[in-house]
Amino acid sequence: MTDVTSSKSARRPHHWRHDLIELAALFTAVVVADTIAKSIVKGPDGPYLLVFSAIALVATAGFHTWWARRHSHASHAPPPAPTVAAPAGPAPEEQQETGPVVPVETALWRMRTTVADTPGSLAALCTVLARLGVDILTLQTHPLADGTVDEFLLRAPADLSAHALSRETAAAGGRDTWTERADAHDLVDTPTRVLGLATRTALDAAELPLALRQLLGRCTLHTVPAVSLTGRPTGEHAPVEGVLEETVMRLRDPNGGTLIVERPYLPFTPTEFARARALVELDARLGPRLPRSQDVLTLPEGNEITVRRADQRDLPAARAMHDRCSARTLGLRYHGPVGDADRYLDHLLSPRFGRTLAVQTTSGRLVALGHLLWDGDETEVALMVEDDWQRRGIGSELLGRLVAMAEEAGCASVYAVTQSSNTGMVAAMRALSLPLDYQIEEGTLVITARLASAPRPAARPQHRETQQEQPHEGVRRAER
């Protein structure tokens, strides 16, 4: 150890001018005393009194100087610097033998566990994580009646398994532990993520189901309408404030009916319930809304069509298109009695069940519909093109856009239910250039396309209203 501050540097310089002034004052006092002695004391003891007075003054001045210097040093001297120890480390030979430090490969984990609501319970868990070499990136706490749910985003060594992480967490007092691999998107802090979901919901009513899934993690969302397709009441009426039942929450759908969110593997916390309810309330206050972007495309024969989003406000135009379609076209689309086709339209156009793309002519007539439907954890695509507008590339154009939407929403796959005789739908699915799985059940063909893991990059706008993917090769954009 070495002392950083030496004693010589800690001394203050001697102020000799200050002492000279004090001596001048001292001699002035002696002269005054001598004058008083000569004036008042006329006897022979006058010189002795003068000497004693001078000695007393000198002693007083000396004591005052010593006392002033002592307190000045004690009050104004800087505190001594702490003793700094030389950092311990390996000898130069050991450093050369060890070589450069190799970075440890890590992985991101999301972990949720419940700990007792007592002082030191969270500290004990953090101590165990530190011993495992785990770095805590974010932490959220959800207070409960009988404990606290702690939700972590962790950076852990790559060789640390989920089983080992759960076992050590349980040893530290955690219970009902759940772990899942995370990615870079989870690095966004919770307030920022919630605000982003609220913004997406405010711009598009069809974003509410996706926002709830991203907010609550892996969960299944079902929408039960107040009235069935046959016109009978379903009996589903959730209260305004909603209902929370451990792994199930029921929220009132602003469009009527009930939104049922289920997560079997992990109970919902009151905090999650409050966030979900706030998103649903935001959707209810804003009412029906859709993005205003649309694309104007040119067909090979020169006709222009417009591709845009659709919702329940397009129900009259969709029913009119049904009236113009043949029984065969309706049968290939709905796989059931043709007379019941109109009953499905209100359900299909609802933003609660997915997204709908509509194709209309320059006169405003609807000639095709494409649906992306949320079916629990799966996603269905469905198309219908009016007879007079088939075989022009419209179906392939719609399908490509729907698949791009599914990838953007984070779907792992999409499936289409059709018949083997529907060669147009089969050809459109093959044209996606994606891995396909085929399954035939009772004459019905189910084609599943596995989507790419990364979302497709958004295409650059071709004009001021265009915000979609490039059209099918049989369709080109109109130039303005």
Side-chain angles (χ1 to χ4, degrees):
M1 289 186 181
T2 57
D3 194 352
V4 175
T5 306
S6 63
S7 60
K8 184 178 292 186
S9 62
R11 294 177 181 176
R12 297 176 61 88
H14 183 69
H15 300 288
W16 57 272
R17 295 181 180 179
H18 181 70
D19 293 343
L20 183 62
I21 293 174
E22 289 185 351
L23 289 175
L26 176 63
F27 281 109
T28 302
V30 170
V31 172
V32 172
D34 182 55
T35 302
I36 294 173
K38 290 180 179 180
S39 303
I40 301 176
V41 184
K42 299 296 185 179
D45 296 332
Y48 298 104
L49 292 175
L50 181 61
V51 172
F52 289 135
S53 299
I55 294 174
L57 287 173
V58 171
T60 303
F63 177 76
H64 170 72
T65 302
W66 172 80
W67 182 265
R69 289 182 180 179
R70 178 180 179 183
H71 283 267
S72 177
H73 287 177
S75 59
H76 297 288
T83 302
V84 180
E93 294 81 6
E94 296 178 358
Q95 294 178 356
Q96 294 178 0
E97 293 177 1
T98 304
V101 178
V102 180
V104 179
E105 186 178 356
T106 60
L108 294 176
W109 288 92
R110 290 177 58 198
M111 185 181 77
R112 176 179 290 202
T113 188
T114 303
V115 298
D117 190 11
T118 56
S121 58
L122 179 59
L125 179 57
C126 294
T127 301
V128 170
L129 294 177
R131 189 177 69 246
L132 296 173
V134 177
D135 184 18
I136 300 175
L137 302 180
T138 63
L139 169 63
Q140 293 185 71
T141 59
H142 304 263
L144 302 176
D146 58 345
T148 301
V149 175
D150 294 328
E151 187 173 356
F152 298 89
L153 179 62
L154 307 173
R155 178 181 284 117
D159 56 354
L160 181 63
S161 65
H163 176 71
L165 184 60
S166 300
R167 184 183 65 248
E168 295 295 332
T169 300
R175 55 184 173 85
D176 300 329
T177 302
W178 166 81
T179 57
E180 182 184 44
R181 279 297 181 98
D183 56 24
H185 297 89
D186 294 313
L187 294 174
V188 180
D189 64 286
T190 301
T192 302
R193 184 162 57 92
V194 172
L195 287 174
L197 295 177
T199 301
R200 290 173 52 184
T201 303
L203 295 175
D204 188 352
E207 287 289 330
L208 178 61
L210 298 176
L212 289 173
R213 287 180 179 177
Q214 295 185 20
L215 177 67
L216 304 172
R218 290 185 179 179
C219 61
T220 302
L221 181 66
H222 300 283
T223 301
V224 181
V227 180
S228 66
L229 294 176
T230 59
R232 296 179 179 179
T234 60
E236 281 289 346
H237 294 284
V240 177
E241 64 276 8
V243 177
L244 175 60
E245 300 172 347
E246 294 188 353
T247 60
V248 179
M249 64 171 68
R250 288 179 168 83
L251 304 170
R252 173 172 289 187
D253 188 349
N255 293 336
T258 303
L259 292 172
I260 302 176
V261 187
E262 297 182 79
R263 190 173 64 187
Y265 62 88
L266 196 63
F268 293 110
T269 64
T271 302
E272 291 175 318
F273 179 62
R275 292 172 181 171
R277 190 172 57 186
L279 272 180
V280 174
E281 183 178 353
L282 173 66
D283 178 82
R285 289 179 177 274
L286 294 177
R289 61 207 178 278
L290 284 178
R292 297 181 179 179
S293 62
Q294 60 183 19
D295 280 352
V296 178
L297 312 177
T298 302
L299 298 177
E301 65 272 15
N303 294 329
E304 287 188 353
I305 58 173
T306 300
V307 182
R308 60 173 178 82
R309 290 283 301 279
D311 61 8
Q312 291 167 314
R313 291 170 291 185
D314 294 289
L315 184 59
R319 286 177 175 170
M321 185 186 73
H322 271 190
D323 295 337
R324 296 190 301 269
C325 289
S326 64
R328 181 181 181 276
T329 297
L330 294 175
L332 290 176
R333 168 62 186 88
Y334 295 107
H335 319 290
V338 177
D340 295 337
D342 287 350
R343 296 180 180 180
Y344 301 111
L345 281 176
D346 187 67
H347 170 94
L348 294 174
L349 294 173
S350 171
R352 290 293 172 269
F353 298 98
R355 302 177 184 177
T356 300
L357 291 177
V359 176
Q360 66 182 30
T361 63
T362 54
S363 62
R365 190 172 71 174
L366 217 63
V367 296
L369 288 174
H371 305 284
L372 186 69
L373 303 173
W374 317 126
D375 183 15
D377 295 332
E378 300 179 334
T379 307
E380 180 185 1
V381 289
L383 302 173
M384 188 175 71
V385 182
E386 188 177 330
D387 294 66
D388 294 340
W389 294 84
Q390 295 177 6
R391 307 297 179 182
R392 302 187 187 187
I394 294 178
S396 297
E397 173 70 17
L398 288 177
L399 184 60
R401 293 171 181 263
L402 294 174
V403 169
M405 288 181 179
E407 287 184 336
E408 182 184 0
C411 301
S413 63
V414 296
Y415 71 91
V417 181
T418 184
Q419 299 177 11
S420 57
S421 59
N422 191 351
T423 57
M425 187 64 180
V426 175
M429 292 292 290
R430 289 178 176 174
L432 294 173
S433 299
L434 294 172
L436 300 179
D437 295 329
Y438 300 89
Q439 186 177 2
I440 299 179
E441 297 179 359
E442 299 180 356
T444 301
L445 176 62
V446 180
I447 308 175
T448 302
R450 295 191 300 273
L451 306 184
S453 57
R456 295 181 182 179
R460 293 184 179 181
Q462 300 297 318
H463 52 75
R464 63 181 181 178
E465 295 180 354
T466 299
Q467 296 182 359
Q468 302 288 350
E469 297 290 333
Q470 295 292 337
H472 183 262
E473 59 182 3
V475 183
R476 66 180 180 86
R477 297 185 185 275
E479 296 182 359
R480 293 186 175 185

